[in-house]
Amino acid sequence: LVSAHKDGPFPAHPVIALRSFSQLGLIEESAVDELVRAYELFSSTLHFLRMTEGTVPPAQLLEGKHSRIRKLSDEWSEAPIDTQINQSSERVKNIFEKLIGPYSALS
């Protein structure tokens, strides 16, 4: 979005847009790979949860009968889902801050 005025318009689909940013030299390929992994992990998980697990507490989402969520992505490990989401979110935030600058949802 920061470069859209000179390099846009960009594709609407996030993954295609991120790949185009890499081709334009706006984002390093390794950062794009991390962002695409996070996007795919979050979006597939969100859709799955909305359809199947709506009332299950997050701490139980990767346990017992709810462990089928692990099949959505090879990215899920044995760690609790909230820990994994927080770690991935932190990596995305770090990439954002490297490219754009500090971010705070409170400001």
Side-chain angles (χ1 to χ4, degrees):
L1 292 175
V2 171
S3 297
H5 68 283
K6 67 177 178 140
D7 296 316
F10 294 120
H13 191 280
V15 173
I16 296 169
L18 287 167
R19 296 286 181 217
S20 71
F21 300 157
S22 177
Q23 292 170 349
L24 289 168
L26 300 172
I27 302 178
E28 294 177 13
E29 192 170 339
S30 61
V32 169
D33 291 342
E34 182 66 42
L35 294 171
V36 167
R37 275 194 302 276
Y39 172 79
E40 290 175 347
L41 183 69
F42 291 162
S43 66
S44 65
T45 301
L46 180 61
H47 294 301
F48 178 82
L49 293 174
R50 284 182 178 157
M51 294 173 61
T52 62
E53 310 291 336
T55 61
V56 177
Q60 296 175 9
L61 283 172
L62 297 178
E63 299 172 358
K65 68 178 182 172
H66 308 294
S67 65
R68 62 187 175 210
I69 197 171
R70 288 194 194 282
K71 295 180 177 133
L72 292 174
S73 174
D74 293 336
E75 297 295 318
W76 289 120
S77 71
E78 296 299 317
I81 192 170
D82 52 343
T83 299
Q84 294 180 69
I85 288 173
N86 289 338
Q87 289 171 344
S88 187
S89 296
E90 188 64 27
R91 289 190 299 271
V92 169
K93 181 178 178 248
N94 289 339
I95 292 168
F96 179 92
E97 289 182 342
K98 181 179 176 185
L99 294 168
I100 309 297
Y103 170 78
S104 172
L106 302 175
S107 55

